[in-house]
Amino acid sequence: MKILTVGADAVGGFFGARLAEAGQDVSFLVRPTRAKALQTRGLRIEGQGEKLRLTPKLVTADAPGGPYDLVLFSVKATALHPALADIRPAVGPQTAVVPLLNGVAHLDALVAHLGAGAVLGGVAKVVTTLNEEGDILRMAPPAVILTGETDARPSARVEAIRTVLTGAGIDSPDTADIVAAMWHKWVFISTLVAVTCLMRGTVGEVNAVPGGAALGASLLAEAAAVSAAAGHPAPEAELAFTTATVTAPGSPLTPSLYRDLVAGSPTEADHVLTDLTVRARALGVPTPLLDLAALHLRVHEHRLAAGRP
């Protein structure tokens, strides 16, 4: 399968490298700075027993190649619109685009730029980061991509993509309703983001003080209520997993948005938290704690916009 991975950072780089190592024809669409680093050092993955070295096939926005059979759209929400312009020439009539962003707002943007026929739903579950050398560090076992048609109908192209993913060691179970799965991931990530960013600490640090575990449970209740009001109630197993994750004693876990925050970088706050609270207002769901977390991050973004890191 001819595949374009948009981005070669912690998420796109990880999945793209797995696919390339499995023999798929994978190109990575990258910015010049990342291209230079990859040309010098190669694409490397370490951690959790992984030790992969790859000389990646790189393309840039001025010559993305294509059309491709599959586009894994893995960029931060802050780069969403420039990346949409970059991939448009790479998308042909038979191309399937699988976005791996958090939230759901990007679906409308993708459809507006590429047409509804090209766009599938997608969820990535992987815990990776870039180290100081620009290598990908895998920090926990999951390596999952969920995908499906946004109208939940069975699809031969989805089955073909799932076969390619599983052949590369990427779990891709059958997903009856991918949009619901996107909402459920959104409940998880918004809860984790709000806990760590509001308290400016790891999950373990938050839960080491009185009231820390209760905060996580309260934030989860708000996020889950929004998802349920939108027609996508989170299954009990998902709620139990999120509860266990955000209340785990001693856990060093932080989401990438938190790491961007403490580094003084722009964040995906609008995509992950602000959009959720806007939808909550429209659905009549009160979310005072999520509102507070979104406000906290908006102040950070305002400070950056004003040139005050």
Side-chain angles (χ1 to χ4, degrees), residues 75-97:
V75 299
K76 287 186 177 292
T78 50
L80 172 61
H81 291 287
L84 285 172
D86 292 345
I87 70 166
R88 196 165 193 168
V91 176
Q94 304 304 316
T95 303
V97 180

Side-chain angles (χ1 to χ4, degrees), residues 198-213:
L198 266 180
M199 297 296 103
R200 292 296 183 105
T202 67
V203 166
E205 289 169 337
V206 174
N207 288 298
V209 300

Side-chain angles (χ1 to χ4, degrees), residues 17-222:
R18 276 288 189 87
L19 288 160
E21 186 76 357
Q24 300 298 328
D25 180 6
V26 181
S27 298
F28 295 85
L29 177 60
V30 293
R31 297 294 181 189
T33 302
R34 183 63 171 153
K36 184 177 181 180
L38 292 169
Q39 287 162 351
T40 301
R41 192 170 172 80
L43 184 56
R44 305 186 182 203
I45 303 175
E46 296 182 351
Q48 296 291 311
E50 193 113 33
K51 199 171 184 68
L52 189 152
R53 302 288 185 272
L54 179 73
T55 301
K57 184 192 297 185
L58 305 178
V59 296
T60 52
D62 58 337
Y68 294 87
D69 301 310
L70 170 64
V71 174
L72 289 181
F73 192 73
S74 176
V75 299
K76 287 186 177 292
T78 50
L80 172 61
H81 291 287
L84 285 172
D86 292 345
I87 70 166
R88 196 165 193 168
V91 176
Q94 304 304 316
T95 303
V97 180
V98 177
L100 301 179
L101 290 78
N102 292 311
V104 299
H106 57 276
L107 284 181
D108 289 340
L110 282 161
V111 168
H113 277 76
L114 305 174
V119 181
L120 300 176
V123 171
K125 297 182 180 181
V126 65
V127 186
T128 51
T129 191
L130 293 184
N131 64 18
E132 292 180 357
E133 289 76 34
D135 300 338
I136 298 169
L137 178 63
R138 189 179 182 193
M139 299 181 290
V144 180
I145 292 179
L146 307 180
T147 190
E149 302 287 350
T150 56
D151 61 3
R153 60 184 167 83
S155 163
R157 66 175 178 169
V158 168
E159 292 308 309
I161 292 167
R162 290 181 55 234
T163 297
V164 167
L165 293 172
T166 55
I170 301 166
D171 293 337
S172 187
D174 185 31
T175 305
D177 187 343
I178 189 61
V179 174
M182 292 171 67
W183 269 91
H184 301 157
K185 168 72 182 299
W186 197 6
V187 169
F188 169 82
I189 198 64
S190 61
T191 302
L192 180 60
V193 162
V195 167
T196 55
C197 291
L198 266 180
M199 297 296 103
R200 292 296 183 105
T202 67
V203 166
E205 289 169 337
V206 174
N207 288 298
V209 300
L215 174 65
S218 297
L219 283 162
L220 173 58
E222 289 185 5

Side-chain angles (χ1 to χ4, degrees), residues 183 221-232 276-277 279-280 283 285-287 290:
W183 269 91
E222 289 185 5
V226 182
S227 186
H232 307 292
L276 187 63
T277 59
R279 292 171 191 264
L283 293 165
V285 178
T287 54
L290 288 171

